[in-house]
Amino acid sequence: MSEFPEGFLWGGATAANQLEGGYQEGGRGLSIADALPGGKDRFKIVSQPDFDWTIDTDKYTYPNHEGIDFYHHYKEDIALFAEMGFKCYRFSIAWSRIFPNGDETQPNEAGLKFYDDVIDECLANNIEPVITISHYELPLNLAKRYGGWKNRYLIEFYETFARTILTRYASKVKYWMTFNEINSAAHFPVMGQGLVPSTGANDKKNVFQAWHNQFVASAKAVKIAHELRDDIQVGCMILYATSYAYDSNPVNQLANLQHNQDFNFFCADVQVRGAYPTYTKRLLAEYNLTFDDLETTDGDLALLQQYPVDYIGFSYYMSSAVETTGSVTDTVAGNLMGGVKNPFLKASDWGWQIDPTGLRIALNELYDRYQKPLFVVENGLGAIDKPDKNFYVEDDYRIDYLKQHIEAMAGAIDDGVDLMGYTPWGCIDLVSASTGEMSKRYGFIYVDLDDQGHGTLARYPKKSFYWYQDVIKHNGLTKK
Ligand code: BG6
């Protein structure tokens, strides 16, 4: 087993909207995540043509409102992370805690104070904070009044938000990411771009425009960050799902190449290389668009070029396969995207195809392409845990999944990849993003809370907690 580099950032990852709760406390405004109903139909509901972000508590439950109440439990939770030996903790800052409506000019001090406390608590426990500036939690007002990221005004609002939090925390926080899974909008623009069908989500021009605005906003954040601190590291964050051609049919090979360009690489190419890739022309043409259809300026393009990101953060849960001749009809679900079933892989309870080798491939593909440090900022197994009467969960299935992915990372490091760290997703159980369920658990720490909001909120280490503690202690797996 190879050694992980010294200083490797072992940790865990969460997002404000999925764990904080306290959705109306400390002057916080509403975010789009507050308007997502809980349950397996979440995406179906928000994809209805008439969905307009109305929160209807008579009809639906809204588990993101309470999350796991990290807002009041952060000290206890960070102490548990420290007990596992976390070197870093990735979390996001709820934009609507700082700017309740997103378009104010003055920040909400109570919101800033909350993150002062969270950051200080991390530092007191020798945990390096890793902050996602925007993780699927646009202020609701920006989605309702401005129509989400397709509106260029949002660049300015994001810049104000980013400048405020970077100025406040940059001296204490070295690692940042600008947008969570920015490329996920290719399949589902609701969470990343605040776009729903009634505001144009089904018109690809809006999705590309929203991306452009986000790219510019991201470059501005990189600029601000570097002006504040020389050694600051600002990354992009993409959803990477390694993709295989289903077979050696050249037609499928070409389709897979294009799928990789369009999904896995497009956003990162702009954010890392600082320019739109050549295949943008083909990609836009597929939707009868040209680059001139987008509202861009020379100043925008210069900013992209001048302020690329410093590293590539990415989530990796599963891989997918591409088949375009229609000969394979067996399909599977996935992280915001499905595909044809790969006969060599098993899937999770939610149909995500488990593929640790795909992570080694992902790391090689990304490093070959960009030669910038990589950071696996999400990975994990969403599963149904069955605690015993003492609330102890023997989650060997999760250990098995994580172990195989850590082996894959070690393999990639042997291959020469520069890997900075690993923050498994939902290090403490939280509300799932795609289905709003508590029962889809990822954590090393069990939280006593069910899908109906019942439970004591007490926290209990699972078997994986002690296993991960050992991994961190030894800077890697001790035996194969
Ligand atoms: C990623 C997101 O897509 O996957 C997280 O960045 C999300 O917010 C995670 O929670 C797992 O997805 P889910 O739907 O199982 O919560």
Side-chain angles (χ1 to χ4, degrees), residues 448-457:
D448 178 22
L449 183 69
D450 69 15
D451 288 339
Q452 283 69 47
H454 303 132
T456 61
L457 287 172

Side-chain angles (χ1 to χ4, degrees), residues 18 135 180-181 317 335 352 378 425 432-434 440 442:
Q18 292 171 254
H135 189 132
N180 183 65
E181 295 189 337
Y317 293 89
N335 189 9
W352 299 18
E378 285 187 33
W425 175 250
S432 111
S434 54
K440 188 180 189 187
Y442 287 87

Side-chain angles (χ1 to χ4, degrees), residues 14-15 17-18 42-43 90 135-136 180-181 184 191 237 239 315 317 334-336 350 352 377-382 425-426 430-437 440-442:
T14 63
N17 73 88
Q18 292 171 254
R42 165 174 275 197
F43 282 180
R90 174 186 173 225
H135 189 132
Y136 295 162
N180 183 65
E181 295 189 337
S184 68
M191 295 192 298
M237 195 310 204
L239 188 174
S315 64
Y317 293 89
N335 189 9
L336 304 179
W350 274 261
W352 299 18
V377 295
E378 285 187 33
N379 172 240
L381 180 70
W425 175 250
L430 39 62
V431 177
S432 111
S434 54
T435 57
E437 292 166 295
K440 188 180 189 187
R441 295 173 187 271
Y442 287 87

Side-chain angles (χ1 to χ4, degrees), residues 68-221:
I68 55 159
D69 198 27
F70 178 82
Y71 191 69
H72 296 109
H73 289 73
Y74 69 90
K75 284 193 181 180
E76 181 190 340
D77 294 342
I78 293 169
L80 286 165
F81 300 158
E83 198 183 326
M84 269 187 280
F86 276 22
K87 309 286 183 213
C88 74
Y89 169 43
R90 174 186 173 225
F91 58 94
S92 67
I93 292 191
W95 187 340
S96 64
R97 244 184 228 299
I98 312 300
F99 292 95
N101 288 312
D103 55 1
E104 296 92 341
T105 50
Q106 292 307 312
N108 168 34
E109 179 55 32
L112 288 168
K113 170 77 174 58
F114 172 67
Y115 294 106
D116 281 335
D117 295 344
V118 170
I119 291 167
D120 289 345
E121 198 62 27
C122 287
L123 296 175
N125 282 282
N126 295 318
I127 295 174
E128 184 103 45
V130 176
I131 294 183
T132 317
I133 297 176
S134 180
H135 189 132
Y136 295 162
E137 48 210 359
L138 187 72
L140 189 58
N141 177 53
L142 298 186
K144 286 177 98 161
R145 178 154 176 226
Y146 296 86
W149 269 102
K150 69 171 197 270
N151 190 324
R152 209 179 151 86
Y153 275 126
L154 266 74
I155 300 176
E156 206 181 294
F157 301 142
Y158 179 95
E159 186 181 358
T160 304
F161 170 48
R163 186 183 301 283
T164 303
I165 58 175
L166 280 160
T167 305
R168 180 93 163 205
Y169 308 126
S171 63
K172 294 176 178 177
V173 180
K174 182 175 171 188
Y175 299 100
W176 297 77
M177 268 164 274
T178 54
F179 288 97
N180 183 65
E181 295 189 337
I182 187 166
N183 57 327
S184 68
H187 295 285
F188 198 67
V190 175
M191 295 192 298
Q193 301 187 333
L195 269 175
V196 285
S198 61
T199 52
N202 296 332
D203 180 349
K204 276 284 174 179
K205 185 177 160 187
N206 291 327
V207 173
F208 283 104
Q209 185 63 56
W211 266 328
H212 178 75
N213 296 341
Q214 292 183 320
F215 297 150
V216 175
S218 173
K220 288 192 175 217

